[in-house]
Amino acid sequence: MADYGDDAIKTLSPREHIRLRPGMYIGKLGDGTQSDDGIYVLVKEVVDNSVDEFIMGAGKSVEITVEDKVVTVRDYGRGIPLKSLSAAVSEMNTGAKYEGSAFKKTVGLNGVGVKAVNMLSSEFTARSVRDGEARTVTFAKGLEQSDRWESGVSEKNGTYISFRVDEEIFGEYAYNMEFVEQMVKNYTYLNLGLTFVLNGKSYVSKNGLLDLVNDTMSDQPLYEPIHLSGDDIEVVITHGDGYGETYWSFVNGQYTSQGGTHQAAFREAIAKTVKEFYRKDYEPSDIRTSIMAAISVKVTDPVFESQTKIKLGSKEIEPGVSIRQFVGDFLGKHLDDYLHKHPDTAQALQKKIVDNEKERKAISGVQKKAREIAKKVSLNNKKLRDCKIHFTDKHELAEQSMIFITEGNSASGSITASRNVLTQAVFSLRGKPLNSYGLTKKVVYENEEFNLLQAALNIEESLENLRYNKVIIATDADVDGMHIRLLMTSFFLQFFPDVIRNGHLYILQTPLFRVRNKKETFYCYSDEEREKAVKRCGSSAEITRFKGLGEISADEFKEFIGDNMRLDKVRLTKEDPIHELLEFYMGKNTFERQGFIINNLRIEEDRVENN
């Protein structure tokens, strides 16, 4: 047993704590390959402050550059008060957003954001200009290095922040400019009149959330999107042809990817308003199936369920006014008015609701039986090895919850033996799943695998009930494994596209090779990585080719589903022609697809020969 005395008790400074436990402040670290990696959270923490200046009526443009891993953000707001500049970027719980006087309805309310950026950066510079006076303070890993004051400068008022994320903490990383660009676009949609300049390119929105929905939705809308706005609220509503419910929700400019109280109120209010308009007692699910909608609200002193601010927990829009009442009253008046004034839209919406109702009733018998089967199986479900997070009060770990969907006893056995039982669950497929392309949702209930998976994920009624933040397809890196990936991705695209749209579906990357000698071991995910590892290990290199997940021992597998886990997020954009892709890759056009494969094999063979 380890010794436990007074010398085991330690008190960390805020800087030491942030650097030791960065995940508590910015979520996961990551290497930049995923949009929710920590390096993007740090960019957002800085940009949020510049946007808050615009919201307060100061400054109409923000300039961002990302070059050689150095990020700079320059706004033209009021500038941080010069005497407080150093403390504002380095001392915890220091800021102007606590009393709600200098700032109203912003997201940076806890005085942590830019301090975390400072303390997690190997280089950090803050410069403020106010009425011809300027002050520049530099830091390294949160420790002040220099402090310079200037008078008589000709620069416009505002704040300049520059930082380089510390590789000592983050390791090797790189910015994916697609993710940064999408972040900038989201800011423009929510702040009409604010211009962003990213690496010299300007971004501005003229129609707010309407631009977001038109730019982002991949389905063709059944009717012209309904765009409504008022004090502290803006919404856009339309429907597509698919299944599921797709929402983009925001609070004070913060993208709440996991929704929250405002999104729940929105879903409830849409159903209530539509039922009252048509004077029909429609099922809420029939009204909302295939909806594509966006909502943005401004809340006084918002409360989020985690530091990363991706789910709103506030009950009130402002003191004395509940979010539920506020959103309900707004839609009850303005959505009702819109439908009365636009009979073509009202007719198209009602047709969609009736079609949804017919399909739901057509599968109701199968659905009831499937629910009973899923309920019975859940009592002794050998396909699902759940994680313990759902049976504890550790709600702050919900963002870390994940489920691996894998095939075969050996693969699921390896993952089960090496997983973190608190946050990681495993669902075992039996062989290759059914190709669901072209089938109706009835198959979700008729097919045992799909029915039990839907029950395990808890997504039959709503994505908000999803039990895991990450749904990870984990298969062998061979032809059969790739086929299973396609089949499972097709299943989600067909029936639960919002799982993909909201960033919950991932592919687990597992190593193809192990290269080692007596001193070092390297796990390689490509031929290039293998070649580098062989050079490092020298002539004594021992190379193992992993053919399947079951061949990797449980001890080794911990490397691949722990802190070093490599995940590819399945992403869906407006440019992705879903129906065409599914038809070509999963449809019955066997000869056409066969020709495509043969032609591309020839091209690849020619490329290899020429090299």
Side-chain angles (χ1 to χ4, degrees):
M1 183 179 294
D3 292 335
Y4 178 56
D6 290 328
D7 57 351
I9 306 299
K10 299 184 182 298
T11 300
L12 299 178
S13 68
R15 172 185 169 275
E16 290 171 328
H17 193 266
I18 288 177
R19 290 182 63 81
L20 182 65
R21 299 282 186 267
M24 293 181 62
Y25 300 88
I26 63 169
K28 69 186 179 100
L29 296 179
D31 59 3
T33 56
Q34 305 300 328
S35 60
D36 59 348
D37 283 348
I39 61 173
Y40 304 111
V41 176
L42 296 181
V43 174
K44 192 174 187 310
E45 290 288 1
V46 176
V47 178
D48 277 347
N49 291 335
S50 297
V51 174
D52 285 344
E53 283 295 299
F54 169 78
I55 291 173
M56 296 305 297
K60 293 185 178 180
S61 66
V62 178
E63 298 167 358
I64 304 173
T65 63
V66 182
E67 187 175 359
D68 294 331
K69 297 185 178 180
V70 175
V71 177
T72 64
V73 180
R74 173 64 156 102
D75 67 44
Y76 296 90
R78 296 165 292 183
I80 299 173
L82 301 190
K83 290 183 180 180
S84 302
L85 178 62
S86 180
V89 299
S90 65
E91 295 182 14
M92 296 292 283
N93 305 316
T94 300
K97 302 177 184 178
Y98 296 106
E99 300 298 329
S101 53
F103 291 85
K104 179 185 179 183
K105 297 182 178 177
T106 65
V107 295
L109 300 175
N110 51 19
V112 173
V114 75
K115 286 85 164 177
V117 181
N118 185 355
M119 295 168 191
L120 294 175
S121 297
S122 55
E123 306 168 14
F124 182 92
T125 299
R127 176 177 174 82
S128 180
V129 180
R130 301 192 97 185
D131 302 325
E133 303 290 318
R135 184 184 180 187
T136 305
V137 189
T138 65
F139 297 81
K141 302 177 181 179
L143 300 175
E144 188 171 314
Q145 304 294 303
S146 67
D147 187 353
R148 185 175 82 254
W149 292 72
E150 301 170 71
S151 298
V153 300
S154 58
E155 300 169 51
K156 293 182 179 179
N157 286 356
T159 301
Y160 168 96
I161 300 290
S162 172
F163 65 94
R164 180 193 293 270
V165 173
D166 190 356
E167 292 189 32
E168 182 180 307
I169 293 176
F170 286 79
E172 279 293 322
Y173 68 90
Y175 289 98
N176 183 327
M177 293 309 296
E178 285 186 28
F179 299 153
V180 180
E181 182 183 34
Q182 187 58 56
M183 181 192 304
V184 166
K185 286 181 177 179
N186 284 348
Y187 279 120
T188 64
Y189 298 139
L190 297 161
N191 299 280
L192 296 183
L194 176 58
T195 298
F196 275 86
V197 181
L198 174 61
N199 285 354
K201 183 178 178 180
S202 294
Y203 297 82
V204 65
S205 172
K206 295 181 179 179
N207 303 298
L209 289 187
L210 181 60
D211 288 339
L212 181 151
V213 172
N214 284 329
D215 291 348
T216 309
M217 63 181 175
S218 52
D219 288 350
Q220 195 67 26
L222 296 180
Y223 54 87
E224 195 71 23
I226 301 168
H227 186 201
L228 308 170
S229 61
D231 292 338
D232 294 335
I233 186 170
E234 180 183 3
V235 302
V236 176
I237 303 166
T238 189
H239 280 75
D241 281 322
Y243 295 97
E245 302 174 29
T246 302
Y247 300 100
W248 296 273
S249 65
F250 302 85
V251 176
N252 297 3
Q254 168 70 33
Y255 176 42
T256 43
S257 58
Q258 291 190 9
T261 51
H262 60 317
Q263 186 168 305
F266 185 50
R267 294 177 69 245
E268 178 186 329
I270 288 173
K272 183 175 183 293
T273 302
V274 168
K275 286 198 291 185
E276 291 177 352
F277 174 80
Y278 294 112
R279 298 181 182 178
K280 299 270 189 179
D281 191 23
Y282 291 127
E283 282 286 326
S285 62
D286 295 332
I287 295 171
R288 295 192 299 250
T289 292
S290 82
I291 194 172
M292 297 179 288
I295 177 172
S296 173
V297 296
K298 293 182 179 178
V299 178
T300 301
D301 295 338
V303 176
F304 296 94
E305 293 193 5
S306 69
Q307 171 60 26
T308 50
K309 306 168 187 172
I310 58 177
K311 187 174 184 179
L312 182 67
S314 298
K315 302 292 186 184
E316 295 183 328
I317 198 89
E318 60 185 31
V321 181
S322 74
I323 290 178
R324 184 168 177 261
Q325 176 190 342
F326 176 77
V327 175
D329 289 348
F330 177 80
L331 287 181
K333 180 180 189 309
H334 296 282
L335 177 56
D336 183 82
D337 287 349
Y338 186 96
L339 293 174
H340 274 102
K341 293 177 181 177
H342 298 81
D344 290 346
T345 297
Q347 184 178 356
L349 173 57
Q350 188 171 35
K351 182 180 184 304
K352 177 59 180 171
I353 295 170
V354 171
D355 289 344
N356 289 340
E357 184 179 51
K358 287 179 180 177
E359 181 173 0
R360 176 178 56 81
K361 289 181 177 179
I363 64 175
S364 60
V366 178
Q367 190 177 30
K368 183 179 179 181
K369 183 178 179 181
R371 284 174 178 167
E372 291 172 355
I373 293 173
K375 187 175 181 180
K376 289 179 181 178
V377 173
S378 67
L379 299 175
N380 186 26
N381 192 347
K382 295 180 180 179
K383 300 182 74 64
L384 174 66
R385 295 169 178 85
D386 210 352
C387 56
K388 294 182 178 180
I389 186 66
H390 302 297
F391 310 105
T392 72
D393 59 356
K394 298 179 183 293
H395 304 297
E396 71 278 5
L397 294 178
E399 289 178 39
Q400 299 177 31
S401 64
M402 62 189 73
I403 184 170
F404 296 98
I405 302 173
T406 191
E407 182 269 331
N409 293 330
S410 58
S412 61
S414 295
I415 296 180
T416 300
S418 55
R419 66 180 174 138
N420 179 337
V421 296
L422 180 62
T423 59
Q424 296 179 324
V426 182
F427 184 90
S428 302
L429 297 170
R430 185 180 65 249
K432 289 185 181 179
L434 178 70
N435 181 358
S436 61
Y437 176 65
L439 304 178
T440 68
K441 201 169 185 179
K442 185 178 180 182
V443 74
V444 177
Y445 301 96
E446 290 179 329
N447 181 275
E448 181 181 352
E449 297 270 286
F450 291 159
N451 179 37
L452 296 179
L453 177 58
Q454 175 186 247
L457 298 178
N458 196 33
I459 53 177
E460 180 183 2
E461 298 295 336
S462 168
L463 182 64
E464 288 194 344
N465 299 325
L466 180 65
R467 298 179 75 238
Y468 310 95
N469 189 37
K470 289 185 173 68
V471 179
I472 303 168
I473 302 171
T475 65
D476 294 343
D478 58 12
V479 174
D480 286 338
M482 296 299 176
H483 191 200
I484 293 171
R485 290 184 187 182
L486 282 173
L487 291 168
M488 289 310 305
T489 303
S490 297
F491 165 75
F492 284 106
L493 277 172
Q494 279 278 102
F495 305 115
F496 303 102
D498 34 340
V499 171
I500 299 176
R501 290 193 182 104
N502 288 277
H504 294 292
L505 188 64
Y506 295 82
I507 303 295
L508 175 68
Q509 294 298 327
T510 50
L512 299 173
F513 308 97
R514 179 183 61 211
V515 180
R516 64 183 178 184
N517 56 25
K518 292 182 178 180
K519 294 183 179 180
E520 296 180 288
T521 299
F522 300 95
Y523 297 100
C524 310
Y525 292 74
S526 65
D527 289 329
E528 291 78 12
E529 289 187 16
R530 182 197 59 186
E531 291 170 5
K532 290 180 182 178
V534 169
K535 288 180 181 178
R536 290 194 59 173
C537 288
S539 58
S540 61
E542 172 194 308
I543 305 172
T544 301
R545 170 67 163 95
F546 295 122
K547 296 180 181 179
L549 302 184
E551 294 182 353
I552 305 175
S553 69
D555 287 339
E556 285 183 301
F557 221 106
K558 289 180 181 178
E559 288 286 318
F560 320 131
I561 59 173
D563 293 338
N564 297 321
M565 180 163 53
R566 295 193 191 185
L567 295 175
D568 289 337
K569 180 180 286 188
V570 180
R571 294 192 292 143
L572 190 59
T573 67
K574 185 180 181 181
E575 285 69 38
D576 296 320
I578 298 174
H579 299 297
E580 291 87 344
L581 286 171
L582 285 173
E583 173 64 34
F584 182 79
Y585 289 106
M586 307 306 293
K588 297 181 180 180
N589 54 330
T590 307
F591 293 111
E592 182 183 355
R593 190 163 54 243
Q594 185 181 52
F596 172 81
I597 294 171
I598 292 173
N599 289 335
N600 279 273
L601 280 174
R602 288 172 181 161
I603 292 171
E604 179 64 16
E605 288 171 355
D606 292 341
R607 186 188 69 80
V608 172
E609 288 178 4
N610 292 332
N611 288 338

